[in-house]
Amino acid sequence: MDKKRLENRIHVFRAEKRWSQQQLADRVGVSRQTIASLEANKYNPSLLLAQDIAEAFEVDIYSVFTHLKEE
């Protein structure tokens, strides 16, 4: 059975905005550790959190998060 995982580009968008992990965390109402875990792909966000992150970057959710199949 194929495994599926969620990959993200949060660090790329943060770099473009010149935001720290803490600044993004404050904007979306989570801890800095949550942002660090998301960036390291150790944690999958809820749909609401994913949407909040995309809105903070002013992009659509698919620009930030990609659903990949592992073979």
Side-chain angles (χ1 to χ4, degrees), residues 7 20 44 71:
E7 194 168 90
S20 66
N44 287 329
E71 296 185 27

Side-chain angles (χ1 to χ4, degrees), residues 25-70:
D26 291 344
R27 288 174 185 268
V28 299
V30 297
S31 69
R32 185 206 58 79
Q33 291 85 354
T34 297
I35 300 300
S37 292
L38 288 168
E39 288 185 1
N41 290 309
K42 293 182 180 178
Y43 168 71
N44 287 329
S46 68
L47 184 55
L48 291 174
L49 178 54
Q51 186 65 44
D52 287 346
I53 291 169
E55 287 176 4
F57 292 133
E58 300 178 324
V59 298
D60 68 76
I61 196 168
Y62 298 106
S63 296
V64 182
F65 297 94
T66 305
H67 188 237
L68 299 175
K69 282 187 182 179
E70 293 179 342

Side-chain angles (χ1 to χ4, degrees), residues 8-19 39 57 63-64:
N8 70 73
R9 299 179 62 226
I10 294 172
H11 67 285
V12 173
F13 285 103
R14 271 196 323 99
E16 288 175 2
K17 297 275 191 184
R18 294 191 167 111
W19 292 347
E39 288 185 1
F57 292 133
S63 296
V64 182

